[in-house]
């Protein structure tokens, strides 16, 4: 399907992803990791087809899976 192919090839700018990341954190803070506050610095799209989003945080891979899904749902809703 051409719609799926277009979605896989789409490039989202780092500025737009960071804007969505800031909004997501403002709406719903990520849960603490080992009783420490998780700080998210930036998001970027590392690859297309399939898209790979990278979110930089203060403690490495510390995001709760539920929060990751929450953020991905926001990205899919905004960019399809």
């Amino acid at each position: 399907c051409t719609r799926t192919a277009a979605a896989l090839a789409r490039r989202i700018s780092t500025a737009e992803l960071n804007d969505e990341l800031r909004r997501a954190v403002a709406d719903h803070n990520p849960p603490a990791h080992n009783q420490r506050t998780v700080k998210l610095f930036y998001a970027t799209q590392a690859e297309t087809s399939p898209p790979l989003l990278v979110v930089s945080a203060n403690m490495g891979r510390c995001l709760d899976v539920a929060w990751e899904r929450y953020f991905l749902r926001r990205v899919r809703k905004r960019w399809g």
Side-chain angles (χ1 to χ4, degrees):
C1 178
T2 58
R3 186 174 171 193
T4 303
L8 286 172
R10 176 177 289 130
R11 169 65 71 178
I12 305 169
S13 76
T14 299
E16 288 178 307
L17 275 174
N18 285 324
D19 180 52
E20 192 61 36
L21 181 64
R22 277 190 291 276
R23 290 178 187 190
V25 169
D27 291 345
H28 184 68
N29 280 327
H33 179 72
N34 292 333
Q35 299 178 350
R36 292 179 56 202
T37 302
V38 174
K39 297 175 189 168
L40 303 179
F41 301 125
Y42 68 91
T44 189
Q45 184 177 359
E47 294 182 24
T48 60
S49 206
L52 174 65
L53 302 180
V54 177
V55 177
S56 178
N58 62 331
M59 292 184 280
R61 187 149 173 76
C62 60
L63 278 178
D64 183 67
V65 174
W67 202 92
E68 286 182 23
R69 285 192 309 261
Y70 158 74
F71 182 61
L72 287 175
R73 277 193 308 271
R74 288 181 67 112
V75 168
R76 285 186 190 115
K77 184 177 180 181
R78 183 167 174 184
W79 288 286

